[in-house]
Coordinates of all heavy atoms in Angstrom, one line a residue:
K1 N 30.1 -13.9 68.4 CA 30.1 -15.3 68.4 C 29.0 -15.8 67.4 O 29.3 -16.8 66.7 CB 29.7 -15.8 69.8 CG 29.7 -17.3 69.8 CD 29.5 -17.8 71.2 CE 29.5 -19.3 71.2 NZ 29.3 -19.9 72.5
L2 N 27.9 -15.1 67.2 CA 26.9 -15.5 66.3 C 27.4 -15.6 64.9 O 27.2 -16.5 64.2 CB 25.7 -14.5 66.4 CG 24.5 -14.8 65.5 CD1 23.9 -16.1 65.9 CD2 23.5 -13.7 65.6
Q3 N 28.2 -14.6 64.5 CA 28.8 -14.6 63.1 C 29.7 -15.8 62.9 O 29.7 -16.3 61.8 CB 29.5 -13.3 62.9 CG 28.6 -12.1 62.8 CD 27.7 -12.1 61.6 OE1 26.8 -13.0 61.4 NE2 28.0 -11.3 60.6
E4 N 30.5 -16.2 63.9 CA 31.4 -17.3 63.8 C 30.6 -18.6 63.5 O 30.9 -19.4 62.7 CB 32.2 -17.5 65.0 CG 33.3 -16.4 65.2 CD 34.0 -16.5 66.5 OE1 33.9 -17.5 67.2 OE2 34.6 -15.5 66.9
E5 N 29.5 -18.8 64.3 CA 28.6 -20.0 64.1 C 28.0 -20.0 62.7 O 28.0 -21.0 62.1 CB 27.6 -20.0 65.2 CG 28.1 -20.2 66.6 CD 27.1 -20.2 67.7 OE1 25.9 -20.0 67.3 OE2 27.4 -20.2 68.8
V6 N 27.5 -18.9 62.3 CA 26.8 -18.8 61.0 C 27.9 -19.1 59.9 O 27.7 -19.8 59.0 CB 26.2 -17.4 60.7 CG1 25.7 -17.3 59.3 CG2 25.0 -17.3 61.7
K7 N 29.1 -18.5 60.1 CA 30.2 -18.7 59.1 C 30.5 -20.2 59.1 O 30.7 -20.7 58.0 CB 31.4 -17.9 59.5 CG 32.5 -18.0 58.5 CD 33.7 -17.1 58.9 CE 34.8 -17.3 58.0 NZ 36.0 -16.6 58.4
S8 N 30.6 -20.9 60.2 CA 31.0 -22.3 60.2 C 29.9 -23.1 59.4 O 30.3 -24.0 58.6 CB 31.2 -22.8 61.6 OG 30.0 -22.8 62.3
M9 N 28.6 -22.8 59.7 CA 27.6 -23.6 58.9 C 27.7 -23.2 57.4 O 27.4 -24.1 56.6 CB 26.2 -23.2 59.5 CG 25.1 -24.1 58.9 SD 23.5 -23.7 59.6 CE 23.5 -24.8 61.0
K10 N 28.0 -22.0 57.1 CA 28.1 -21.6 55.7 C 29.2 -22.3 55.0 O 29.1 -22.5 53.8 CB 28.4 -20.1 55.7 CG 28.3 -19.4 54.3 CD 28.7 -18.0 54.4 CE 27.7 -17.1 55.0 NZ 28.0 -15.7 54.9
E11 N 30.2 -22.8 55.7 CA 31.3 -23.5 55.1 C 31.1 -25.0 55.1 O 32.0 -25.7 54.6 CB 32.6 -23.1 55.9 CG 32.9 -21.7 55.7 CD 34.1 -21.2 56.6 OE1 34.6 -22.1 57.5 OE2 34.5 -20.1 56.5
W12 N 30.0 -25.5 55.6 CA 29.8 -26.9 55.6 C 29.8 -27.6 54.2 O 29.3 -27.0 53.3 CB 28.4 -27.3 56.3 CG 28.4 -27.2 57.7 CD1 29.4 -26.8 58.6 CD2 27.3 -27.4 58.6 NE1 29.0 -26.9 59.9 CE2 27.7 -27.2 59.9 CE3 26.0 -27.8 58.3 CZ2 26.9 -27.4 61.0 CZ3 25.1 -28.0 59.4 CH2 25.6 -27.8 60.7
T13 N 30.3 -28.8 54.2 CA 30.3 -29.6 52.9 C 28.9 -30.2 52.8 O 28.1 -30.2 53.7 CB 31.3 -30.7 53.0 OG1 30.9 -31.6 54.1 CG2 32.7 -30.1 53.2
K14 N 28.7 -30.8 51.7 CA 27.4 -31.6 51.4 C 27.2 -32.6 52.5 O 26.1 -32.8 53.0 CB 27.4 -32.2 50.0 CG 27.5 -31.3 48.9 CD 27.7 -32.0 47.6 CE 28.0 -31.0 46.5 NZ 28.3 -31.7 45.2
E15 N 28.3 -33.3 52.8 CA 28.2 -34.4 53.8 C 27.8 -33.8 55.2 O 27.1 -34.5 55.9 CB 29.5 -35.2 53.9 CG 29.9 -35.9 52.6 CD 30.4 -35.1 51.5 OE1 30.8 -33.9 51.7 OE2 30.4 -35.6 50.3
E16 N 28.4 -32.7 55.6 CA 28.1 -32.1 56.9 C 26.7 -31.6 56.9 O 26.0 -31.8 58.0 CB 29.0 -30.9 57.2 CG 30.5 -31.4 57.4 CD 31.5 -30.2 57.4 OE1 31.4 -29.4 56.6 OE2 32.3 -30.3 58.3
V17 N 26.2 -31.1 55.8 CA 24.8 -30.7 55.8 C 23.9 -31.9 56.0 O 22.9 -31.9 56.8 CB 24.4 -30.0 54.4 CG1 22.9 -29.9 54.2 CG2 25.1 -28.6 54.3
Q18 N 24.2 -33.0 55.3 CA 23.4 -34.2 55.4 C 23.4 -34.8 56.8 O 22.4 -35.2 57.4 CB 23.9 -35.3 54.4 CG 23.5 -35.0 53.0 CD 22.0 -34.9 52.8 OE1 21.3 -35.8 53.1 NE2 21.5 -33.8 52.3
R19 N 24.6 -34.8 57.4 CA 24.7 -35.3 58.8 C 23.8 -34.5 59.8 O 23.1 -35.0 60.6 CB 26.2 -35.3 59.3 CG 26.9 -36.5 59.0 CD 28.2 -36.6 59.8 NE 29.1 -35.5 59.6 CZ 30.0 -35.4 58.6 NH1 30.2 -36.4 57.8 NH2 30.8 -34.4 58.5
W20 N 23.9 -33.2 59.6 CA 23.1 -32.3 60.5 C 21.6 -32.5 60.3 O 20.9 -32.6 61.3 CB 23.5 -30.8 60.2 CG 22.9 -29.8 61.2 CD1 23.3 -29.5 62.4 CD2 21.7 -29.1 60.9 NE1 22.5 -28.6 62.9 CE2 21.5 -28.3 62.1 CE3 20.8 -29.0 59.8 CZ2 20.4 -27.4 62.2 CZ3 19.7 -28.1 59.9 CH2 19.5 -27.3 61.1
L21 N 21.2 -32.5 59.0 CA 19.7 -32.7 58.8 C 19.2 -34.1 59.3 O 18.2 -34.1 59.9 CB 19.5 -32.6 57.3 CG 19.7 -31.2 56.7 CD1 19.7 -31.2 55.2 CD2 18.6 -30.2 57.2
I22 N 20.0 -35.1 59.1 CA 19.6 -36.4 59.5 C 19.6 -36.5 61.1 O 18.7 -37.1 61.7 CB 20.5 -37.5 58.9 CG1 20.2 -37.6 57.4 CG2 20.3 -38.9 59.6 CD1 21.2 -38.4 56.5
K23 N 20.6 -35.9 61.7 CA 20.7 -35.9 63.1 C 19.5 -35.3 63.7 O 19.0 -35.7 64.8 CB 22.0 -35.1 63.6 CG 22.1 -34.8 65.0 CD 23.3 -33.9 65.3 CE 23.3 -33.5 66.8 NZ 24.3 -32.5 67.0
H24 N 18.9 -34.3 63.1 CA 17.8 -33.6 63.6 C 16.5 -34.1 63.0 O 15.4 -33.4 63.1 CB 17.9 -32.1 63.4 CG 19.1 -31.5 64.2 ND1 19.1 -31.5 65.6 CD2 20.3 -31.0 63.8 CE1 20.2 -31.0 66.0 NE2 21.0 -30.7 64.9
E25 N 16.5 -35.3 62.4 CA 15.4 -36.0 61.8 C 14.6 -35.1 60.8 O 13.4 -35.0 60.9 CB 14.4 -36.4 63.0 CG 15.2 -37.4 63.9 CD 14.3 -37.9 65.1 OE1 13.1 -37.6 65.1 OE2 14.8 -38.5 66.0
L26 N 15.3 -34.5 59.9 CA 14.7 -33.7 58.9 C 14.9 -34.4 57.5 O 15.6 -33.9 56.7 CB 15.4 -32.3 58.9 CG 15.2 -31.5 60.2 CD1 16.1 -30.3 60.2 CD2 13.7 -31.0 60.3
G27 N 14.3 -35.5 57.4 CA 14.4 -36.4 56.3 C 14.1 -35.8 55.0 O 14.8 -35.9 54.0
Q28 N 13.0 -35.1 54.9 CA 12.5 -34.5 53.7 C 13.5 -33.3 53.3 O 13.9 -33.3 52.1 CB 11.1 -33.9 53.8 CG 10.6 -33.4 52.4 CD 9.1 -33.0 52.5 OE1 8.8 -32.1 53.2 NE2 8.3 -33.7 51.8
M29 N 14.0 -32.6 54.2 CA 14.9 -31.5 53.9 C 16.3 -32.1 53.5 O 17.0 -31.6 52.6 CB 15.1 -30.6 55.1 CG 13.9 -29.8 55.5 SD 13.1 -28.8 54.2 CE 14.4 -27.6 53.9
S30 N 16.6 -33.3 54.1 CA 17.8 -34.0 53.7 C 17.7 -34.4 52.2 O 18.7 -34.3 51.5 CB 18.0 -35.2 54.6 OG 19.0 -36.0 54.1
R31 N 16.6 -35.0 51.8 CA 16.4 -35.4 50.4 C 16.4 -34.2 49.5 O 17.0 -34.2 48.4 CB 15.1 -36.2 50.3 CG 15.2 -37.5 50.9 CD 14.0 -38.4 50.6 NE 12.7 -37.8 51.1 CZ 12.3 -37.9 52.3 NH1 13.0 -38.4 53.3 NH2 11.1 -37.4 52.6
L32 N 15.8 -33.1 49.9 CA 15.7 -31.9 49.1 C 17.1 -31.2 48.9 O 17.5 -30.8 47.8 CB 14.8 -30.9 49.7 CG 14.5 -29.6 48.9 CD1 13.9 -29.9 47.6 CD2 13.7 -28.6 49.7
L33 N 17.9 -31.2 50.0 CA 19.2 -30.6 50.0 C 20.4 -31.6 49.8 O 21.5 -31.3 50.2 CB 19.4 -29.8 51.2 CG 18.4 -28.6 51.5 CD1 18.6 -28.0 52.8 CD2 18.5 -27.6 50.4
K34 N 20.1 -32.7 49.2 CA 21.0 -33.8 49.1 C 22.4 -33.4 48.4 O 23.4 -33.9 48.9 CB 20.4 -34.9 48.2 CG 21.2 -36.2 48.1 CD 20.5 -37.2 47.3 CE 21.3 -38.5 47.3 NZ 20.6 -39.6 46.7
H35 N 22.3 -32.5 47.5 CA 23.6 -32.1 46.8 C 24.0 -30.7 47.1 O 24.8 -30.1 46.4 CB 23.4 -32.3 45.3 CG 23.0 -33.6 44.9 ND1 23.8 -34.7 44.9 CD2 21.8 -34.1 44.4 CE1 23.2 -35.8 44.5 NE2 22.0 -35.5 44.2
E36 N 23.5 -30.2 48.2 CA 23.8 -28.8 48.6 C 24.7 -28.6 49.7 O 24.8 -29.5 50.7 CB 22.5 -28.1 48.9 CG 21.4 -28.2 47.8 CD 21.9 -27.7 46.4 OE1 22.8 -26.9 46.3 OE2 21.3 -28.3 45.4
E37 N 25.5 -27.6 49.7 CA 26.4 -27.3 50.8 C 25.8 -26.3 51.8 O 24.6 -25.9 51.6 CB 27.7 -26.6 50.2 CG 28.5 -27.6 49.3 CD 29.7 -27.0 48.6 OE1 29.8 -25.8 48.6 OE2 30.5 -27.8 48.2
G38 N 26.5 -26.0 52.9 CA 25.9 -25.2 53.9 C 25.5 -23.8 53.5 O 24.5 -23.3 53.9
R39 N 26.2 -23.2 52.5 CA 25.8 -21.9 52.0 C 24.4 -21.9 51.4 O 23.6 -21.0 51.7 CB 26.9 -21.5 51.0 CG 26.6 -20.1 50.4 CD 27.8 -19.7 49.5 NE 29.1 -19.7 50.1 CZ 29.6 -18.7 50.8 NH1 28.9 -17.6 50.9 NH2 30.8 -18.8 51.3
T40 N 24.1 -23.0 50.7 CA 22.8 -23.1 50.1 C 21.7 -23.3 51.1 O 20.6 -22.7 51.0 CB 22.8 -24.2 49.0 OG1 23.8 -24.0 48.1 CG2 21.4 -24.3 48.4
M41 N 22.0 -24.1 52.1 CA 21.0 -24.3 53.2 C 20.7 -23.0 53.9 O 19.6 -22.7 54.2 CB 21.6 -25.4 54.1 CG 20.6 -25.7 55.2 SD 21.1 -27.1 56.3 CE 22.4 -26.4 57.3
L42 N 21.8 -22.3 54.2 CA 21.5 -21.0 54.9 C 20.8 -20.0 54.0 O 20.0 -19.2 54.5 CB 22.9 -20.4 55.4 CG 23.4 -21.1 56.7 CD1 24.8 -20.5 57.0 CD2 22.5 -20.9 57.8
H43 N 21.1 -20.0 52.8 CA 20.4 -19.1 51.8 C 18.9 -19.4 51.8 O 18.1 -18.5 51.8 CB 21.0 -19.2 50.5 CG 20.5 -18.1 49.5 ND1 20.8 -16.8 49.7 CD2 19.7 -18.3 48.5 CE1 20.1 -16.1 48.7 NE2 19.5 -17.0 48.0
L44 N 18.6 -20.7 51.8 CA 17.2 -21.1 51.8 C 16.5 -20.6 53.1 O 15.5 -20.1 53.0 CB 17.1 -22.6 51.7 CG 15.7 -23.2 51.8 CD1 14.7 -22.7 50.8 CD2 15.7 -24.7 51.8
Y45 N 17.2 -20.8 54.2 CA 16.7 -20.4 55.5 C 16.4 -18.9 55.4 O 15.4 -18.4 55.8 CB 17.7 -20.7 56.6 CG 17.4 -20.0 57.9 CD1 16.4 -20.5 58.7 CD2 18.1 -18.9 58.2 CE1 16.1 -19.8 59.9 CE2 17.9 -18.2 59.4 CZ 16.9 -18.7 60.2 OH 16.6 -18.0 61.4
R46 N 17.4 -18.1 55.0 CA 17.2 -16.7 54.9 C 16.1 -16.2 54.0 O 15.4 -15.3 54.3 CB 18.6 -16.0 54.6 CG 19.6 -16.1 55.7 CD 20.8 -15.3 55.4 NE 21.8 -15.5 56.4 CZ 23.0 -16.1 56.2 NH1 23.4 -16.5 55.0 NH2 23.8 -16.3 57.2
C47 N 16.0 -16.9 52.9 CA 14.9 -16.6 51.9 C 13.6 -16.8 52.6 O 12.7 -16.0 52.4 CB 15.0 -17.4 50.7 SG 16.3 -16.9 49.5
L48 N 13.5 -17.9 53.3 CA 12.2 -18.2 53.9 C 11.9 -17.2 55.1 O 10.8 -16.9 55.3 CB 12.2 -19.7 54.5 CG 12.1 -20.7 53.4 CD1 12.5 -22.1 54.0 CD2 10.7 -20.8 52.8
R49 N 12.9 -16.8 55.8 CA 12.7 -15.9 56.9 C 12.5 -14.4 56.4 O 11.6 -13.8 57.0 CB 13.9 -15.9 57.8 CG 13.9 -17.0 58.8 CD 12.7 -16.9 59.7 NE 12.6 -18.0 60.6 CZ 11.4 -18.4 61.0 NH1 10.3 -18.0 60.6 NH2 11.4 -19.4 61.9
T50 N 13.2 -14.0 55.4 CA 13.0 -12.6 55.0 C 11.8 -12.4 54.1 O 11.3 -11.3 53.9 CB 14.3 -12.1 54.3 OG1 14.6 -12.9 53.2 CG2 15.5 -12.0 55.3
N51 N 11.4 -13.5 53.4 CA 10.2 -13.4 52.6 C 9.1 -14.2 53.1 O 8.5 -15.1 52.5 CB 10.6 -14.0 51.2 CG 11.7 -13.2 50.5 OD1 11.6 -12.0 50.4 ND2 12.8 -13.9 50.2
E52 N 8.8 -14.0 54.4 CA 7.8 -14.7 55.1 C 6.4 -14.4 54.5 O 5.6 -13.6 55.0 CB 7.8 -14.5 56.6 CG 8.9 -15.2 57.3 CD 8.8 -15.2 58.8 OE1 7.9 -16.0 59.2 OE2 9.5 -14.4 59.4
N53 N 6.2 -15.0 53.3 CA 4.9 -14.8 52.6 C 4.6 -16.1 52.0 O 5.4 -17.1 51.9 CB 5.0 -13.7 51.7 CG 6.0 -13.9 50.6 OD1 6.2 -15.0 50.1 ND2 6.7 -12.8 50.3
H54 N 3.4 -16.2 51.4 CA 3.0 -17.4 50.8 C 3.7 -17.8 49.5 O 3.8 -18.9 49.2 CB 1.5 -17.3 50.5 CG 0.7 -17.1 51.8 ND1 0.5 -18.1 52.7 CD2 0.0 -16.1 52.2 CE1 -0.2 -17.6 53.7 NE2 -0.6 -16.4 53.4
E55 N 4.3 -16.8 48.9 CA 4.9 -17.0 47.6 C 6.2 -17.9 47.7 O 6.4 -18.9 47.0 CB 5.3 -15.7 46.9 CG 5.8 -15.9 45.5 CD 4.8 -16.5 44.5 OE1 3.6 -16.4 44.7 OE2 5.3 -17.2 43.6
M56 N 7.0 -17.7 48.7 CA 8.2 -18.5 48.9 C 7.9 -19.9 49.3 O 8.5 -20.8 48.8 CB 9.1 -17.8 50.0 CG 10.4 -18.4 50.1 SD 11.4 -18.3 48.6 CE 12.7 -19.4 49.0
I57 N 6.9 -20.0 50.2 CA 6.5 -21.4 50.6 C 5.9 -22.1 49.4 O 6.1 -23.3 49.1 CB 5.5 -21.4 51.8 CG1 6.3 -20.9 53.0 CG2 4.9 -22.7 52.0 CD1 5.5 -20.7 54.2
K58 N 5.1 -21.4 48.6 CA 4.5 -22.0 47.3 C 5.6 -22.5 46.4 O 5.5 -23.6 45.9 CB 3.6 -20.9 46.6 CG 2.9 -21.5 45.4 CD 2.1 -20.4 44.8 CE 1.6 -20.9 43.4 NZ 0.9 -19.8 42.7
L59 N 6.7 -21.7 46.2 CA 7.8 -22.1 45.4 C 8.5 -23.3 45.9 O 8.8 -24.2 45.2 CB 8.8 -20.9 45.2 CG 8.3 -19.7 44.4 CD1 9.3 -18.6 44.5 CD2 8.1 -20.1 42.9
L60 N 8.7 -23.3 47.2 CA 9.3 -24.5 47.9 C 8.4 -25.7 47.7 O 8.9 -26.8 47.4 CB 9.6 -24.2 49.3 CG 10.4 -25.3 50.1 CD1 11.7 -25.5 49.4 CD2 10.6 -24.9 51.5
M61 N 7.1 -25.6 47.9 CA 6.2 -26.7 47.7 C 6.3 -27.2 46.3 O 6.3 -28.5 46.1 CB 4.8 -26.2 48.0 CG 4.5 -26.0 49.4 SD 2.8 -25.3 49.7 CE 1.8 -26.7 49.4
E62 N 6.4 -26.4 45.3 CA 6.5 -26.8 43.9 C 7.8 -27.5 43.7 O 7.9 -28.5 43.0 CB 6.4 -25.6 43.0 CG 5.0 -25.0 42.9 CD 4.9 -23.7 42.1 OE1 5.9 -23.3 41.5 OE2 3.8 -23.1 42.1
D63 N 8.9 -27.0 44.3 CA 10.2 -27.6 44.1 C 10.2 -29.0 44.7 O 10.8 -30.0 44.1 CB 11.3 -26.7 44.8 CG 12.7 -27.1 44.3 OD1 12.9 -27.4 43.1 OD2 13.6 -27.0 45.1
V64 N 9.7 -29.2 45.9 CA 9.6 -30.5 46.6 C 8.8 -31.4 45.7 O 9.2 -32.6 45.5 CB 9.0 -30.4 48.0 CG1 8.7 -31.7 48.6 CG2 10.0 -29.6 48.9
K65 N 7.7 -31.0 45.2 CA 6.8 -31.8 44.4 C 7.6 -32.2 43.1 O 7.5 -33.4 42.7 CB 5.6 -31.0 44.0 CG 4.6 -31.8 43.2 CD 3.7 -32.6 44.1 CE 2.5 -33.1 43.4 NZ 1.7 -34.0 44.3
H66 N 8.3 -31.3 42.5 CA 9.0 -31.6 41.2 C 10.2 -32.5 41.5 O 10.4 -33.5 40.8 CB 9.4 -30.3 40.6 CG 10.3 -30.5 39.4 ND1 9.9 -30.9 38.2 CD2 11.6 -30.3 39.2 CE1 10.9 -31.0 37.3 NE2 12.0 -30.6 38.0
R67 N 11.0 -32.2 42.5 CA 12.3 -32.9 42.7 C 12.1 -34.2 43.5 O 12.9 -35.1 43.3 CB 13.3 -32.0 43.4 CG 13.7 -30.8 42.5 CD 14.6 -29.8 43.3 NE 15.9 -30.5 43.6 CZ 16.7 -30.0 44.5 NH1 16.4 -28.9 45.1 NH2 17.8 -30.6 44.7
L68 N 11.1 -34.2 44.4 CA 11.0 -35.4 45.2 C 9.7 -36.2 45.0 O 9.5 -37.3 45.6 CB 11.1 -35.0 46.7 CG 12.3 -34.2 47.2 CD1 12.2 -33.9 48.7 CD2 13.6 -35.0 46.9
S69 N 8.8 -35.6 44.2 CA 7.5 -36.2 44.1 C 6.8 -36.4 45.4 O 6.2 -37.5 45.7 CB 7.6 -37.6 43.3 OG 8.1 -37.4 42.0
E70 N 6.9 -35.4 46.3 CA 6.3 -35.5 47.6 C 5.6 -34.2 47.9 O 5.8 -33.2 47.1 CB 7.4 -35.6 48.7 CG 8.2 -36.9 48.6 CD 9.3 -36.9 49.7 OE1 9.3 -36.1 50.6 OE2 10.2 -37.8 49.5
T71 N 4.8 -34.2 48.9 CA 4.1 -32.9 49.4 C 5.0 -32.4 50.5 O 5.5 -33.1 51.3 CB 2.7 -33.2 49.9 OG1 2.0 -33.8 48.8 CG2 2.0 -32.0 50.4
L72 N 5.2 -31.1 50.5 CA 6.0 -30.4 51.5 C 5.4 -30.6 52.8 O 4.2 -30.3 53.1 CB 6.2 -28.9 51.2 CG 7.0 -28.1 52.2 CD1 8.4 -28.5 52.2 CD2 6.8 -26.6 51.9
S73 N 6.2 -31.1 53.8 CA 5.8 -31.2 55.2 C 6.0 -29.8 55.8 O 7.1 -29.4 56.1 CB 6.6 -32.2 55.9 OG 6.3 -32.1 57.3
I74 N 4.9 -29.1 56.1 CA 5.0 -27.8 56.8 C 5.6 -28.0 58.2 O 6.4 -27.2 58.6 CB 3.6 -27.1 56.8 CG1 3.1 -26.9 55.4 CG2 3.7 -25.9 57.6 CD1 4.0 -25.9 54.6
V75 N 5.2 -29.1 58.8 CA 5.8 -29.3 60.2 C 7.3 -29.5 60.1 O 8.0 -28.9 60.9 CB 5.1 -30.6 60.8 CG1 5.8 -30.9 62.1 CG2 3.6 -30.3 61.1
E76 N 7.8 -30.2 59.1 CA 9.2 -30.4 59.0 C 9.9 -29.1 58.6 O 11.0 -28.8 59.1 CB 9.6 -31.5 58.0 CG 11.1 -31.7 58.0 CD 11.5 -33.0 57.3 OE1 10.7 -34.0 57.3 OE2 12.6 -33.0 56.7
L77 N 9.2 -28.3 57.8 CA 9.8 -27.0 57.4 C 9.9 -26.1 58.6 O 10.9 -25.5 58.8 CB 8.9 -26.4 56.3 CG 9.3 -25.0 55.9 CD1 10.7 -25.0 55.3 CD2 8.3 -24.4 54.9
C78 N 8.9 -26.1 59.5 CA 9.0 -25.3 60.7 C 10.1 -25.8 61.6 O 10.8 -25.0 62.2 CB 7.6 -25.3 61.4 SG 6.3 -24.4 60.5
R79 N 10.2 -27.1 61.7 CA 11.3 -27.7 62.6 C 12.7 -27.3 62.0 O 13.6 -27.0 62.7 CB 11.2 -29.2 62.7 CG 10.0 -29.6 63.6 CD 9.9 -31.1 63.8 NE 11.0 -31.9 63.5 CZ 11.0 -32.9 62.6 NH1 10.0 -33.2 61.9 NH2 12.1 -33.6 62.4
F80 N 12.8 -27.3 60.7 CA 14.1 -26.9 60.0 C 14.4 -25.5 60.4 O 15.5 -25.2 60.8 CB 13.9 -27.1 58.5 CG 15.0 -26.5 57.7 CD1 16.2 -27.1 57.6 CD2 14.7 -25.3 56.9 CE1 17.2 -26.5 56.8 CE2 15.7 -24.7 56.1 CZ 17.0 -25.3 56.1
L81 N 13.4 -24.6 60.2 CA 13.7 -23.1 60.5 C 14.0 -22.9 62.0 O 14.9 -22.2 62.3 CB 12.4 -22.3 60.1 CG 12.1 -22.3 58.6 CD1 10.7 -21.6 58.4 CD2 13.2 -21.7 57.8
C82 N 13.3 -23.6 62.9 CA 13.5 -23.5 64.3 C 14.9 -24.0 64.7 O 15.6 -23.4 65.5 CB 12.4 -24.2 65.1 SG 10.8 -23.3 65.1
R83 N 15.3 -25.1 64.1 CA 16.5 -25.8 64.5 C 17.7 -24.8 64.1 O 18.6 -24.7 64.8 CB 16.7 -27.1 63.8 CG 17.9 -27.9 64.0 CD 18.3 -28.1 65.5 NE 17.3 -28.9 66.1 CZ 17.3 -29.2 67.4 NH1 18.3 -28.8 68.2 NH2 16.4 -30.0 68.0
I84 N 17.6 -24.2 62.9 CA 18.7 -23.3 62.5 C 18.7 -22.1 63.4 O 19.8 -21.7 63.8 CB 18.5 -22.9 61.0 CG1 18.9 -24.1 60.1 CG2 19.5 -21.7 60.7 CD1 18.8 -23.8 58.6
E85 N 17.6 -21.6 63.8 CA 17.5 -20.5 64.7 C 18.2 -20.9 66.1 O 18.9 -20.1 66.6 CB 16.1 -20.0 65.0 CG 15.5 -19.2 63.8 CD 14.1 -18.9 64.0 OE1 13.5 -19.2 65.1 OE2 13.5 -18.3 63.1
R86 N 17.9 -22.0 66.6 CA 18.4 -22.5 67.8 C 19.9 -22.6 67.8 O 20.6 -22.3 68.8 CB 17.9 -23.9 68.2 CG 16.7 -23.8 69.1 CD 16.3 -25.2 69.6 NE 14.9 -25.3 69.4 CZ 14.3 -26.4 69.1 NH1 14.9 -27.5 69.0 NH2 13.0 -26.4 69.0
E87 N 20.4 -23.0 66.7 CA 21.9 -23.2 66.6 C 22.6 -21.9 66.3 O 23.8 -21.9 66.5 CB 22.2 -24.3 65.5 CG 21.4 -25.5 65.7 CD 22.3 -26.7 65.9 OE1 23.5 -26.7 65.6 OE2 21.8 -27.8 66.3
H88 N 21.9 -20.9 65.9 CA 22.5 -19.6 65.6 C 21.8 -18.5 66.3 O 21.4 -17.6 65.9 CB 22.6 -19.4 64.1 CG 23.4 -20.5 63.5 ND1 24.8 -20.6 63.6 CD2 23.0 -21.6 62.7 CE1 25.2 -21.7 63.0 NE2 24.2 -22.3 62.4

C-alpha cells in the first residue's frame, strides 16, 4: 500500500502539488515548488532525508534565498518533511 501512495504523489501535477502544500499551510514550500510536479517534490524530500546533513539544508537555504529572496523557515521545512512522512 505504501508504494501505491508514493506512486500517486509521484504522479501529481503542478496544480495538485500546490493544492497539497497550501492545504497543509506550507506557503514557503508552495512558492519554492511553484512550477514543480510531484516527482520533484518527492525527490526533494528523499534528498533531505537521505542526506541528513548540513550541506543539503545549506543548499536549500541558498536556493530559497536566490529564488524567493527569503530566509528558509526551518520550522516549515520540518513540517513539510513530517507531513510527507505522515501521508506515506
Side-chain angles (χ1 to χ4, degrees):
K1 182 175 180 180
L2 182 63
Q3 289 295 68
E4 290 173 14
E5 291 175 7
V6 171
K7 183 179 179 186
S8 66
M9 188 178 272
K10 188 184 288 187
E11 295 171 356
W12 282 2
T13 64
K14 296 172 191 176
E15 293 78 17
E16 289 169 318
V17 167
Q18 286 301 301
R19 271 196 303 272
W20 186 84
L21 292 168
I22 291 166
K23 173 185 170 186
H24 296 294
E25 299 179 10
L26 298 166
Q28 189 174 62
M29 296 306 293
S30 170
R31 291 187 299 281
L32 183 64
L33 299 173
K34 185 176 184 176
H35 302 289
E36 308 303 334
E37 296 175 342
R39 182 176 301 276
T40 302
M41 183 173 74
L42 282 177
H43 187 70
L44 174 62
Y45 166 78
R46 288 187 185 117
C47 283
L48 287 164
R49 278 297 180 214
T50 57
N51 300 304
E52 285 195 72
N53 60 42
H54 299 292
E55 188 61 29
M56 188 62 191
I57 291 177
K58 182 180 172 190
L59 291 171
L60 186 58
M61 289 174 76
E62 290 172 8
D63 198 36
V64 169
K65 184 82 163 172
H66 174 73
R67 294 176 65 197
L68 304 178
S69 300
E70 298 176 12
T71 302
L72 176 66
S73 168
I74 297 299
V75 172
E76 184 166 327
L77 177 61
C78 290
R79 286 182 22 239
F80 169 74
L81 296 172
C82 289
R83 179 56 63 182
I84 289 183
E85 282 176 6
R86 266 189 225 148
E87 305 240 346
H88 298 291

